[in-house]
């Protein structure tokens, strides 16, 4: 079923076109990525889809009663409730249903409503229907579902009572996404949902979304995430949209294939056009060939000419160069403990990084990955341990907080002041390769976007020509195309790299070694991110097998111990069992007696002499009521005794 459709939509800004003739179909269970360069119009299109703005041309068509959940970038949950109550509020209808069920239970148990009455039967029917609806809507499992989702987003029992208003911005964003997932809207539109998520949480989210029953439209620069989650891609490029079936990697391959085909067809047509034009020009004035030339000219006029294929839009051009060679050992960290104010967050960390290698540092949020880089640089002292640089090592540092930029300087002066001997045209040319063109160089740093600040920081880093690059989340704020350019240049870089990143695709492309940081210290994996996952899975499988083996051993020991139980204890248990068995038998006999008594009374009530005598019927009703109550008590007693006996057996 079609949930939402964008038909030939456009957005104009005066004479300028942001995009036009954009088509997009979202069906049940669609998992769609919306990609494009920063500034291509992705956020503008989303605002149209959610009804926040209207297209200048075309229209948006939605299914009747379509429910849409939207998570914008840098948007966190605002609430006066605590974490758990805010999440449980999603299931308020179920909570009301549960309260109604308890009310009905009290009415049904009330002796004031005779069991044979019509009212009593109606209550039972209503109760059965409510219980069915409650179960169908996961009434008995929604609390566990809430806790599972909270756990996936790194909110644990200690966090449940925290007020939402006291959480950090990143925590509020994670909580907003958690609530959206629990609401189970028909369509979720998520703008950069992987921001503020560590790798463990990203992996959980990928698995959860793969089983999500609603439709998804995702804007993300996380290519690894898109590969795992989406099965369709819509690209906004050159003011138009293109549709691809498959995940992100398939989109890249198919896009390249389409472009190659378009060029072949275009070039083939151009050759044909040239031949026709040459023939017309040479033969139009000749009497013997005039008719043929005129025919060729008409053929040219009628030809549906292909537009020249649009190549890749201009992207940045990163280039890192090392002006000297370092020694073979670039960095050695020995028995290091990192943390703040003498509080250790990871220990011990030990590793060696050799020349021409690229090492990625991974681990959960808050484990100290950025702290480790700063401690290596000497900005934050190790609690204990040391870091030693090798010979001729020149270190360049990319700070994700971009603190080496000066807010009040222009882009041009940010570079020129550090390199005063460079000619202005050379500075402008360099900045142009990083997409600062024209008046962009006059922008004040304070007014730059996150992506622009990232590119400016990378420009400064490239000019230093260091042989050892230490990078803290270098892909943050970069669009996908910029990431790919950065990857390519880092792969070609003749120096050594140590970097922190949550971008698993980037790690896969650049790293040949992965250093995992845990509270217990560091673990080294000699491969890229996929190898790291594979090796971790192997180690976890081995550990699970050991635990299973240990569990079997424990069970065997337990069995042996059971056989060696004290004889007196065993005899006491048998005594209790015999006593309970007698009580169970007595209760069964009492139930049989009361059932027979009840049947006899009901039989008496059918006799004409009694049926036509109100006084006799009242007496029999009293007897029946007493027998029924006695039978219910006997059944309850039997049930209680039977359960107790089962526990002892």
């Amino acid at each position: 079923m079609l949930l939402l459709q964008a038909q030939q939509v456009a957005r104009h800004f005066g004479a300028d076109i942001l995009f036009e003739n954009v088509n997009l179909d979202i069906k049940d269970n669609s998992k769609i990525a919306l990609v494009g360069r920063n500034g291509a119009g992705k956020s503008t299109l989303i605002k149209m889809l959610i009804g926040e703005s209207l297209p200048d041309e075309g229209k948006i068509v939605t299914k009747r009663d379509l429910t849409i959940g939207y998570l914008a970038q840098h948007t966190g949950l605002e609430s006066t409730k605590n974490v758990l109550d805010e999440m449980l509020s999603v299931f308020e209808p179920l909570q009301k249903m549960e309260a109604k069920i308890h009310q009905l239970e009290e009415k049904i148990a009330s002796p004031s409503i005779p069991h044979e009455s019509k009212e009593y039967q109606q209550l039972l029917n209503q109760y059965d229907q409510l219980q069915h609806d409650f179960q169908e809507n996961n009434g008995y499992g929604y609390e566990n579902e809430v806790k599972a989702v909270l756990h996936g987003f790194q909110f644990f029992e200690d966090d449940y009572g925290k007020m939402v208003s006291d959480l950090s911005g990143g925590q509020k964003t994670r909580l907003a996404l958690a609530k959206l997932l629990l609401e189970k809207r028909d369509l979720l539109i998520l703008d950069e949902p992987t921001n503020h998520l560590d790798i463990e949480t990203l992996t959980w989210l990928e698995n959860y979304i793969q089983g999500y029953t609603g439709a998804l439209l995702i804007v993300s620069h996380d290519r690894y995430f898109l590969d795992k989650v989406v099965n369709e891609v819509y690209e906004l490029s050159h003011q138009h949209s293109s549709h691809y079936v498959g995940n992100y990697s398939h989109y890249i391959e198919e896009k390249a294939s389409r472009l190659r085909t378009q060029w072949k067809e275009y070039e083939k047509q151009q050759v044909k056009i040239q031949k026709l034009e040459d023939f017309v020009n040479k033969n139009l004035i000749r009497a013997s060939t005039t008719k043929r030339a005129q025919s060729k000219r008409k053929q040219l006029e009628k030809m549906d000419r292909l537009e020249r294929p649009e190549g890749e839009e201009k992207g940045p051009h990163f280039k890192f160069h090392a002006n000297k060679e370092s020694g073979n050992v670039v960095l050695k960290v020995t028995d290091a403990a990192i943390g703040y104010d003498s509080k250790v967050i990871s220990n011990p960390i030990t590793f060696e990084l050799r020349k021409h290698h690229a090492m990625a540092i991974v681990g959960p949020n808050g484990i100290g990955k950025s702290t480790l880089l700063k401690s290596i640089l000497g900005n934050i002292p190790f609690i204990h341990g040391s870091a030693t640089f090798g010979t001729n090592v020149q270190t360049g540092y990319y700070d994700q907080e971009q603190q080496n930029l000066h807010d009040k300087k222009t882009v041009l002066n940010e570079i020129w002041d550090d390199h005063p001997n460079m000619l202005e045209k050379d500075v402008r040319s360099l900045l142009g390769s990083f997409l600062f063109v024209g008046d962009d160089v006059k922008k004040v740093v304070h007014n730059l976007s996150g992506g622009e600040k990232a590119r400016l920081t990378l420009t400064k880093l490239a000019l230093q020509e260091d042989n050892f690059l230490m990078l803290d989340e270098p892909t943050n704020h970069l669009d996908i195309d910029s990431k790919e350019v950065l990857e390519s240049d880092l792969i070609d870089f003749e120096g050594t790299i140590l970097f922190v990143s949550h971008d698993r695709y980037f790690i896969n492309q650049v790293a040949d070694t992965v250093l995992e940081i845990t509270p217990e210290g560091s673990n080294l994996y000699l491969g890229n991110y996929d190898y790291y996952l594979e090796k971790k899975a192997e180690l976890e499988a081995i550990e699970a097998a050991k635990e299973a083996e240990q569990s079997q051993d424990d069970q065997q020991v337990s069995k042996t111990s059971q056989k060696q139980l004290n004889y007196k204890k065993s005899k006491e248990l048998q005594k209790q069992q015999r006593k309970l068995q007698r009580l169970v038998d007595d209760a069964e006999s009492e139930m049989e007696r009361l059932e027979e008594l009840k049947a006899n009374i009901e039989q008496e009530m059918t006799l004409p002499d009694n049926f036509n005598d109100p006084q006799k019927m009242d007496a029999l009703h009293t007897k029946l009521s007493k027998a029924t109550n006695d039978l219910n008590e006997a059944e309850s007693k039997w049930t209680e005794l039977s359960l107790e006996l089962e526990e002892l057996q």
Side-chain angles (χ1 to χ4, degrees):
M1 179 188 291
L2 197 61
L3 301 181
L4 183 148
Q5 188 175 55
Q7 301 175 351
Q8 301 290 306
V9 300
R11 168 66 78 230
H12 303 150
F13 295 102
D16 296 327
I17 300 171
L18 181 62
F19 54 74
E20 61 184 357
N21 299 321
V22 169
N23 297 294
L24 185 146
D25 292 347
I26 303 177
K27 301 174 184 174
D28 278 337
N29 300 316
S30 292
K31 302 291 188 292
I32 299 171
L34 179 62
V35 302
R37 287 183 179 275
N38 291 342
K42 300 187 296 295
S43 296
T44 302
L45 179 59
I46 284 174
K47 287 178 181 178
M48 293 179 185
L49 299 180
I50 64 175
E52 192 172 306
S53 67
L54 296 174
D56 296 322
E57 295 176 10
K59 60 181 179 178
I60 308 292
V61 182
T62 61
K63 185 194 81 159
R64 185 188 296 272
D65 301 325
L66 176 70
T67 58
I68 299 177
Y70 172 52
L71 181 72
Q73 282 194 66
H74 316 300
T75 299
L77 187 65
E78 298 297 335
S79 171
T80 57
K81 299 178 180 177
N82 65 37
V83 169
L84 184 60
D85 287 345
E86 181 61 34
M87 295 297 102
L88 288 172
S89 69
V90 171
F91 300 94
E92 189 175 343
L94 277 176
Q95 292 171 329
K96 289 180 178 179
M97 195 182 295
E98 189 174 16
K100 182 67 175 175
I101 287 172
H102 292 319
Q103 290 173 7
L104 287 174
E105 286 173 343
E106 290 178 6
K107 285 185 179 181
I108 291 169
S110 173
S112 62
I113 303 175
H115 291 190
E116 295 81 9
S117 68
K118 186 177 179 180
E119 182 184 359
Y120 185 81
Q121 192 58 48
Q122 287 175 339
L123 285 172
L124 285 179
N125 292 340
Q126 189 180 355
Y127 180 76
D128 288 343
Q129 186 61 52
L130 268 176
Q131 273 203 319
H132 175 269
D133 294 344
F134 188 69
Q135 188 169 1
E136 283 290 301
N137 289 280
N138 195 31
Y140 297 105
Y142 74 87
E143 290 189 18
N144 288 332
E145 183 182 357
V146 166
K147 291 176 180 178
V149 171
L150 283 173
H151 187 274
F153 283 102
Q154 305 299 306
F155 291 99
F156 305 104
E157 283 193 32
D158 291 345
D159 302 310
Y160 292 171
K162 292 179 180 177
M163 303 305 294
V164 174
S165 55
D166 293 335
L167 300 178
S168 69
Q171 288 174 316
K172 287 180 179 179
T173 300
R174 284 190 280 125
L175 205 62
L177 179 53
K179 188 176 181 181
L180 272 180
L181 294 177
L182 289 169
E183 288 173 347
K184 296 182 175 66
R185 306 290 184 94
D186 299 331
L187 169 62
L188 281 186
I189 299 177
L190 308 176
D191 195 353
E192 296 294 350
T194 63
N195 289 350
H196 309 291
L197 303 184
D198 59 23
I199 289 177
E200 183 181 351
T201 309
L202 279 171
T203 303
W204 177 88
L205 181 60
E206 286 164 359
N207 293 331
Y208 189 92
I209 283 180
Q210 285 169 3
Y212 189 78
T213 54
L216 288 163
L217 177 65
I218 300 170
V219 176
S220 179
H221 292 153
D222 190 327
R223 296 154 295 173
Y224 200 96
F225 179 76
L226 294 180
D227 262 350
K228 292 287 185 180
V229 169
V230 307
N231 49 33
E232 292 180 72
V233 176
Y234 280 89
E235 181 191 40
L236 279 181
S237 178
H238 300 289
Q239 303 173 342
H240 297 89
S241 65
S242 302
H243 179 232
Y244 301 83
V245 177
N247 64 6
Y248 182 82
S249 292
H250 184 270
Y251 146 72
I252 293 295
E253 293 172 3
E254 181 62 21
K255 182 181 176 181
S257 176
R258 286 187 190 183
L259 188 60
R260 286 193 298 271
T261 301
Q262 288 168 3
W263 270 110
K264 284 181 182 177
E265 291 174 352
Y266 175 77
E267 288 169 351
K268 184 179 178 181
Q269 189 184 64
Q270 288 299 303
V271 170
K272 185 177 180 180
I273 290 170
Q274 188 63 51
K275 286 181 178 178
L276 289 171
E277 287 177 344
D278 288 346
F279 185 89
V280 170
N281 292 335
K282 289 178 181 177
N283 296 282
L284 191 61
I285 59 174
R286 295 180 183 175
S288 61
T289 57
T290 297
K291 287 186 178 179
R292 286 177 61 195
Q294 287 174 338
S295 174
K296 299 287 187 185
R297 187 165 63 180
K298 286 181 181 179
Q299 192 177 339
L300 276 168
E301 290 170 353
K302 291 179 180 179
M303 184 180 290
D304 186 11
R305 300 200 179 200
L306 299 173
E307 292 184 6
R308 181 183 175 88
E310 294 172 324
E312 293 293 324
E313 295 172 295
K314 186 181 178 184
H317 178 66
F318 302 125
K319 188 63 182 175
F320 297 101
H321 173 71
N323 64 9
K324 68 162 60 175
E325 195 91 352
S326 71
N328 286 327
V329 177
V330 174
L331 174 67
K332 201 169 186 178
V333 176
T334 307
D335 195 29
I338 56 173
Y340 296 92
D341 302 324
S342 300
K343 182 183 177 183
V344 176
I345 54 179
S346 179
N347 173 59
I349 300 172
T350 297
F351 67 92
E352 184 178 276
L353 180 58
R354 301 183 74 83
K355 184 172 63 176
H356 298 155
H357 285 275
M359 179 182 290
I361 302 173
V362 302
N365 286 342
I367 199 61
K369 301 182 295 294
S370 297
T371 303
L372 175 59
L373 291 186
K374 291 174 182 176
S375 295
I376 291 169
L377 290 166
N379 298 336
I380 298 174
F382 287 117
I383 293 174
H384 63 72
S386 63
T388 307
F389 292 100
T391 56
N392 295 325
V393 172
Q394 296 174 324
T395 304
Y397 174 53
Y398 178 94
D399 181 7
Q400 65 167 312
E401 298 169 358
Q402 289 138 2
Q403 292 184 354
N404 64 332
L405 299 179
H406 303 84
D407 269 3
K408 296 181 180 180
K409 285 187 179 182
T410 64
V411 170
L412 181 65
N413 287 117
E414 185 70 40
I415 303 298
W416 211 357
D417 289 353
D418 289 346
H419 303 274
N421 295 326
M422 287 183 69
L423 298 174
E424 182 177 352
K425 66 178 182 66
D426 293 335
V427 177
R428 285 180 174 272
S429 176
L430 176 70
L431 286 169
S433 68
F434 285 81
L435 297 188
F436 294 102
V437 296
D439 289 340
D440 287 345
V441 301
K442 298 176 183 178
K443 287 183 178 178
V444 178
V445 169
H446 177 74
N447 297 326
L448 297 180
S449 69
E452 288 172 325
K453 286 181 179 178
R455 285 188 276 113
L456 183 57
T457 304
L458 288 167
T459 307
K460 295 184 70 171
L461 187 62
L463 279 169
Q464 293 176 195
E465 298 187 340
D466 301 304
N467 55 30
F468 179 36
L469 300 180
M470 295 178 63
L471 313 174
D472 191 3
E473 298 288 0
T475 62
N476 280 3
H477 310 295
L478 295 180
D479 60 25
I480 290 177
D481 291 333
S482 297
K483 289 181 181 182
E484 290 174 350
V485 173
L486 178 60
E487 285 163 4
S488 177
D489 196 59
L490 290 177
I491 292 168
D492 294 337
F493 177 55
E494 62 267 32
T496 308
I497 307 169
L498 178 67
F499 68 97
V500 171
S501 182
H502 288 138
D503 190 327
R504 295 158 297 170
Y505 197 99
F506 180 80
I507 297 172
N508 252 354
Q509 294 296 108
V510 176
D512 56 34
T513 309
V514 174
L515 183 74
E516 180 188 45
I517 305 298
T518 72
E520 292 75 34
S522 61
N523 301 303
L524 196 63
Y525 299 85
L526 302 178
N528 63 6
Y529 183 76
D530 284 343
Y531 175 83
Y532 156 71
L533 286 184
E534 183 183 331
K535 202 65 182 175
K536 275 202 73 172
E538 285 180 16
L539 294 172
E540 287 171 0
I542 293 169
E543 188 62 32
K546 285 182 180 177
E547 289 179 1
E549 187 177 342
Q550 184 61 47
S551 176
Q552 288 178 351
D553 291 344
D554 292 343
Q555 288 176 9
Q556 191 60 45
V557 170
S558 178
K559 287 177 183 177
T560 305
S561 300
Q562 191 68 28
K563 291 177 182 178
Q564 297 172 349
L565 277 176
N566 184 283
Y567 177 76
K568 186 177 178 181
K569 262 188 178 180
S570 179
K571 295 297 285 183
E572 183 63 31
L573 182 64
Q574 291 173 11
K575 184 178 177 182
Q576 288 178 349
Q577 288 174 336
R578 287 195 297 272
K579 182 180 177 182
L580 278 171
Q581 187 63 61
R582 284 197 301 273
L583 292 172
V584 169
D585 293 341
D586 292 345
E588 283 182 353
S589 298
E590 180 65 7
M591 284 163 60
E592 289 173 1
R593 185 186 72 78
L594 290 168
E595 284 172 351
E596 186 178 351
L597 175 62
K598 188 179 174 185
N600 290 336
I601 295 170
E602 288 172 343
Q603 181 63 34
E604 285 185 55
M605 292 173 75
T606 62
L607 298 174
D609 290 346
N610 295 329
F611 186 77
N612 296 319
D613 190 334
Q615 195 171 358
K616 287 183 179 178
M617 286 299 291
D618 284 345
L620 287 169
H621 269 299
T622 302
K623 285 184 180 179
L624 181 62
S625 179
K626 186 177 184 307
T628 301
N629 288 336
D630 290 346
L631 179 60
N632 288 338
E633 288 179 6
E635 285 177 344
S636 296
K637 187 176 180 181
W638 177 85
T639 301
E640 186 180 337
L641 290 167
S642 297
L643 289 172
E644 194 174 344
L645 180 61
E646 284 180 12
E647 289 178 0
L648 290 178
Q649 289 176 337

